[in-house]
Amino acid sequence: MQPGVRMVENKIYINGLSIIAPGMVEPEKTLRILRGVQQWCAEPLPRLVPGSLPANERRRATPVIKLALQAMQPLLHSDDDLEKMATVFASSDGDLGNDDKICRALAKNEKAVSPTQFHNSVHNAPAGYWAIASSMRSASISLSAGNATFAAGLLDAAMQVLSEQQNVLLVAYDVVAPEPLNEKRKFEYSLSIALRLGLKSEAENAGHIQCSVSGANTVVTACQNDSLESLRTGNPVGAGLPLLEALARESVASISIPYVMGKRLQIEINKS
């Protein structure tokens, strides 16, 4: 670890986690996989229908938007004031499927791009749909950092918890792009990871984290459940899987994940 690079000293509690991925949709099954009790096997994603979205928005929402919002739903509490819940949306490439449709439309003589395709093309479209669903009026950040996107999203969410003294929902997501885009930006699987972060523990045995930035010589942490390795390496968001494994196993751990400029985000997980 390099001197002077510690970024987050205070305790940041992870009070909930959620994953939506091929073969990881049901919460109980997901926990068994994260705890190493069951092997992961890719299965087709079911049709995602985020219950928080009104019917009109649900019809307009793309698979990327549905993937992000579906992962967030299990982390919401009945007494949450969603208008004041800060959020961080992190995606390395956004909605490449929608971008592909726009590019194909522009290549035609009539160049007909629908208004829905246009407003779904912006990087913060999932945050916009979430704002409609939750009547959110608090801060929301939508970011991208390439293969370091999960680390950048986690660090941003942690800093918001400390600076704003409130709970923050983080959701990181990327989907498999259609060809020929997938040739240039290859994702093996679609994946969304959501975390609920706060200053206080909301559940028994909730783990708390401290983050720092280290040099490129630090080895990136692999998954304990070997069957998850292809998912970890097959999507930039998969970098967060070792963290979720440690949280699900309620273990003390040190996790290293890719960060910007070849550096690593070092995450120390401890118990209260």
Side-chain angles (χ1 to χ4, degrees):
M1 184 180 301
Q2 298 175 345
V5 295
R6 182 165 287 279
M7 301 294 290
V8 181
E9 294 281 0
N10 302 66
K11 292 180 180 179
I12 306 293
Y13 284 92
I14 307 294
N15 288 310
L17 62 87
S18 175
I19 300 176
I20 300 294
M24 296 179 76
V25 177
E26 300 172 2
E28 292 184 2
K29 179 181 178 181
T30 297
L31 278 178
R32 291 197 300 271
I33 294 171
L34 292 175
R35 290 169 177 167
V37 177
Q38 181 175 337
Q39 296 292 291
W40 175 72
C41 181
E43 301 172 358
L45 274 173
R47 180 171 175 264
L48 301 178
V49 185
S52 58
L53 276 178
N56 284 339
E57 280 66 36
R58 199 180 305 147
R59 285 193 293 270
R60 298 188 183 103
T62 66
V64 170
I65 295 166
K66 293 177 180 179
L67 185 70
L69 269 59
Q70 188 87 17
M72 296 170 70
Q73 285 188 175
L75 305 186
L76 303 177
H77 298 172
S78 59
D79 58 349
D80 281 336
D81 186 351
L82 295 183
E83 290 188 16
K84 299 179 181 179
M85 179 77 77
T87 53
V88 176
F89 290 80
S91 175
S92 69
D93 283 50
D95 199 333
L96 291 178
N98 190 67
D99 294 345
D100 178 70
K101 291 179 180 178
I102 291 176
C103 289
R104 291 179 185 276
L106 292 175
K108 297 178 180 179
N109 292 332
E110 60 270 23
K111 294 181 172 55
V113 176
S114 75
T116 298
Q117 287 175 337
F118 179 76
H119 80 238
N120 282 343
S121 69
V122 298
H123 197 70
N124 65 345
Y129 279 80
W130 168 250
I132 293 171
S134 64
S135 300
M136 178 191 69
R137 298 180 181 178
S138 58
S140 180
I141 300 293
S142 296
L143 59 82
S144 173
N147 290 339
T149 292
F150 181 84
L154 177 62
L155 197 53
D156 191 286
M159 296 305 295
Q160 282 198 60
V161 170
L162 295 178
S163 62
E164 303 300 327
Q165 302 285 295
Q166 64 180 14
N167 290 331
V168 176
L169 290 179
L170 163 66
V171 59
Y173 49 93
D174 272 310
V175 301
V176 176
E179 300 296 349
L181 292 177
N182 200 41
E183 293 180 11
K184 303 299 181 182
R185 184 63 168 154
K186 183 71 173 178
F187 297 161
E188 298 293 339
Y189 308 100
S190 297
L191 173 62
S192 182
I193 291 176
L195 296 173
R196 181 185 175 106
L197 297 84
L199 282 174
K200 298 180 180 180
S201 174
E202 298 175 347
E204 187 177 356
N205 293 324
H208 61 80
I209 63 172
Q210 291 177 300
C211 300
S212 61
V213 177
S214 62
N217 58 330
T218 306
V219 177
V220 171
T221 304
C223 289
Q224 296 185 61
N225 186 337
D226 292 340
S227 66
L228 283 172
E229 271 296 280
S230 61
L231 183 59
R232 181 183 71 84
T233 59
N235 187 304
V237 176
L241 287 172
L243 170 62
L244 270 65
E245 281 186 310
L247 293 169
R249 296 171 188 231
E250 300 181 354
S251 59
V252 174
S254 181
I255 306 295
S256 179
I257 63 177
Y259 191 48
V260 296
M261 300 177 65
K263 296 184 182 297
R264 308 285 186 251
L265 182 64
Q266 197 73 20
I267 310 165
E268 307 297 329
I269 307 172
N270 295 290
K271 309 302 291 185
S272 301

